[in-house]
Amino acid sequence: MSDRWDAAAFKTRVDEVLHQFVAREADLFAEIDPSLAPVATQLEAAVQDGKRLRAAFCYWGWRAVGQPDSFALLRAAASLELIHAAAVVHDDLIDDSPLRHGRPTAHVALRGAVRRRPRSAAAARSLAMLVGDLLMGMAGQLFATSGLPAAYVGRARPLWSVLGRELIAGECLEILRTGSEPDTAASLQVIRYKTAKYTVEQPLLIGGALAGAGGRLREGYSAYGLPLGEAFQLRDDLLGLFGDPERTGKANADDVRGQRPTALLAETWRVAGEDDRTRLRALLGKRGLDEAGLHAVREVMCRLRAPSLVEDMITARVEEALGALGGLDLPAGAADALGALANSATVRLS
């Protein structure tokens, strides 16, 4: 791959690595017993879609040190997409989300495999949990067998523990704060640990560690990656409620019905008067919330300009990230690619 960033070509390369690796692992899994075939199918379904941003940030964390394009590095970078796939399966299970990329989520799709069993819904959820666990294990396997020298892998291995600890901490914080009175600072902490770090900062740091990046560059990666990762999730929060489900592939009532600690809801709550808060209390967290109720929540948010407040938060974080990027002495190709990635991660429709 040349120094000129081509997102589509990179995605094609990562997809090829992921699809071949997961297909082989799914076949080996299904060989154990024919009844495992539906679970194996969900392993492959979990990696069918995605922008491959995490792999891209890892790749450019490597290239920005001055290292050349490498198929072994591409395999290591692709392993981060398996962590993401595992997190998505678990997240959909935790949130009881019915759709992802316009298709039934794993715990919904697996109901067919156990429909004649006692407590079939619970059994399907258990199978989905194990799909996520297996994907996480496969991520470590792909990383360890990427083909990079053992010394390179050893430099990055400690960051895997950090990534896993922080990702799960973020998931736990979201669960613990779901249903609580909305608070912007608490929501931003969830965003930072559940999404920002493992989407941008940690992939960059892992790519840099594999390449032998120095301390100043690693600090720069964090200064760029953390605000950009937060901006990415803030955009996701807006799309989650105001996006077109045909484009996002997800149901857009999940955050409201679950009363999740999003910054969008927190900012709405912060500027709302008592009458609007009373109205929101009657709507948030209702599992059976209909389209009229969802429209009422949107109406309150728009009247209070909460989406604009979140847009301002996104803009400020992107500017902070690009400012940090501009302060680094990077090869031109890496600087251009990371600038383009900042745009594609935060200016999107799905």
Side-chain angles (χ1 to χ4, degrees):
M1 188 170 186
S2 72
D3 287 343
R4 185 172 181 179
W5 176 234
D6 184 334
F10 181 81
K11 173 176 161 52
T12 297
R13 294 177 73 197
V14 173
D15 283 348
E16 185 175 353
V17 169
L18 283 174
H19 295 164
Q20 289 182 1
F21 177 80
V22 174
R24 183 171 63 252
E25 291 298 315
D27 286 345
L28 291 171
F29 184 78
E31 285 177 8
I32 295 170
D33 189 280
S35 65
L36 294 171
V39 180
T41 297
Q42 289 308 305
L43 291 171
E44 296 193 73
V47 297
Q48 284 304 303
D49 301 286
K51 301 175 183 65
R52 310 312 184 201
L53 287 173
R54 293 152 189 88
F57 284 117
C58 181
Y59 178 86
W60 286 106
W62 162 275
R63 293 293 305 274
V65 183
Q67 293 280 12
D69 181 61
S70 160
F71 180 67
L73 184 279
L74 190 75
R75 283 172 55 83
S79 70
L80 294 171
E81 295 297 332
L82 289 173
I83 292 178
H84 176 55
V88 165
V89 170
H90 285 154
D91 201 43
D92 288 341
L93 182 59
I94 291 165
D95 295 339
D96 201 22
S97 298
L99 291 174
R100 174 74 66 165
H101 298 298
R103 297 191 300 270
T105 49
H107 64 279
V108 174
L110 285 164
R111 289 174 186 170
V114 291
R115 62 179 176 272
R116 293 187 176 87
R117 310 292 173 84
R119 301 181 65 245
S120 59
R125 293 176 67 84
S126 297
L127 289 174
M129 177 185 68
L130 294 169
V131 168
D133 292 347
L134 188 51
L135 286 165
M136 191 67 79
M138 289 162 58
Q141 179 188 351
L142 181 56
F143 185 77
T145 61
S146 63
L148 289 170
Y152 288 27
V153 173
R155 289 195 298 249
R157 195 180 301 278
L159 292 174
W160 272 72
S161 297
V162 176
L163 186 155
R165 178 169 64 247
E166 292 181 341
L167 171 57
I168 293 172
E171 288 281 9
C172 290
L173 286 171
E174 183 178 61
I175 292 168
L176 291 167
R177 291 172 182 169
T178 290
S180 300
E181 182 166 302
D183 176 81
T184 299
S187 295
L188 289 174
Q189 187 185 35
V190 171
I191 283 172
R192 173 165 288 206
Y193 285 94
K194 183 189 171 188
T195 303
K197 282 177 164 285
Y198 100 95
T199 298
V200 186
E201 184 199 26
Q202 289 293 353
L204 278 167
L205 289 172
I206 287 171
L210 290 168
R216 183 177 181 277
L217 184 54
R218 294 196 303 270
E219 290 173 2
Y221 284 171
S222 291
Y224 162 87
L226 278 172
L228 183 59
E230 290 179 1
F232 172 85
Q233 183 57 44
L234 289 168
R235 173 64 62 206
D236 210 55
D237 289 348
L238 284 173
L239 289 171
L241 186 54
F242 290 95
D244 179 358
E246 291 294 319
R247 287 182 175 270
T248 66
K250 296 185 286 187
N252 59 7
D254 287 356
D255 288 348
V256 174
R257 287 175 181 158
Q259 197 175 341
R260 296 175 193 149
T262 66
L264 175 60
L265 176 56
E267 283 296 281
T268 303
W269 193 264
R270 182 179 65 82
V271 298
E274 194 52 44
D275 287 348
D276 282 325
R277 288 187 175 188
T278 298
R279 191 177 188 193
L280 289 170
R281 285 191 190 99
L283 296 167
L284 298 174
K286 291 180 63 176
R287 301 303 297 174
L289 187 73
D290 58 14
E291 189 58 37
L294 192 60
H295 176 75
V297 173
R298 290 195 188 102
E299 186 277 325
V300 172
M301 289 180 168
C302 290
R303 179 163 43 79
L304 297 175
R305 298 187 67 253
S308 294
L309 295 173
V310 175
E311 288 284 1
D312 290 343
M313 294 166 72
I314 293 170
T315 298
R317 282 161 174 77
V318 173
E319 289 176 352
E320 181 183 350
L322 292 177
L325 181 65
L328 296 174
D329 183 18
L330 301 180
D336 290 346
L338 290 171
L341 282 166
N343 181 71
S344 62
T346 55
V347 182
R348 64 190 208 274
L349 299 176
S350 63

